[in-house]
Amino acid sequence: MKTIQIIIMTAALSLLGLVFYAYSIDQPETMDRSAFESPQRPAAVFAHDEHNEAAELEEDCALCHHVYDGKTLVPDESSEDSPCSDCHSLNPTSENTVSLMTAYHKRCKSCHFDAAKGPVLCGECHIRK
């Protein structure tokens, strides 16, 4: 009888440990897609800090977090504190504005092509869980 209790207790503790381990694993960072009303794909996986280190962008955040005045890039200005959707709408009304989805895809894919590494196909960034 005592052996069965020990086995049950061991199994319960093992299961509890497994649950805690599963919840302690870091979830991958993803791009903010809250501006999209009904997204067709999962959010793109994007590890912000890893990208900064790999591209050595710590000092030039404006490469991605840029500011434009019309079609002119404003030097030494950064939009770090604003979501991309503040400037890039889903359906832009001005020819000076790039849509939010195009901005994401163009920025990410052009960098990956230039570096000759990184994902460029839909399912490589938009990973289904």
Side-chain angles (χ1 to χ4, degrees):
M1 187 71 162
K2 215 163 195 32
T3 306
I4 293 175
Q5 288 175 336
I6 292 173
I7 291 172
I8 290 172
M9 233 12 196
T10 303
L13 288 173
S14 297
L15 182 60
L16 187 60
L18 184 61
V19 168
F20 280 122
Y21 172 74
Y23 280 102
S24 70
I25 296 174
D26 289 334
Q27 296 297 317
E29 294 178 66
T30 57
M31 295 295 287
D32 177 18
R33 66 178 187 158
S34 59
F36 296 96
E37 294 172 7
S38 54
Q40 298 175 352
R41 295 187 173 273
V45 173
F46 179 75
H48 185 267
D49 292 340
E50 290 176 25
H51 278 81
N52 280 348
E53 292 169 13
E56 299 176 1
L57 294 177
E58 292 92 355
E59 300 301 317
D60 192 11
C61 297
L63 181 65
C64 295
H65 299 280
H66 48 257
V67 175
Y68 279 85
D69 181 13
K71 290 188 177 187
T72 305
L73 180 65
V74 180
D76 301 322
E77 288 290 322
S78 174
S79 62
E80 291 173 72
D81 297 329
S82 304
C84 299
S85 58
D86 277 3
C87 296
H88 298 280
S89 66
L90 295 176
N91 301 304
T93 56
S94 167
E95 65 182 56
N96 290 339
T97 306
V98 175
S99 77
L100 182 60
M101 189 163 55
T102 300
Y104 279 143
H105 288 129
K106 186 176 181 183
R107 177 63 53 200
C108 298
K109 289 173 80 171
S110 65
C111 188
H112 289 176
F113 280 126
D114 290 347
K117 62 181 178 181
V120 292
L121 299 176
C122 302
E124 294 174 324
C125 294
H126 300 277
I127 299 170
R128 297 204 186 274
K129 296 177 184 177

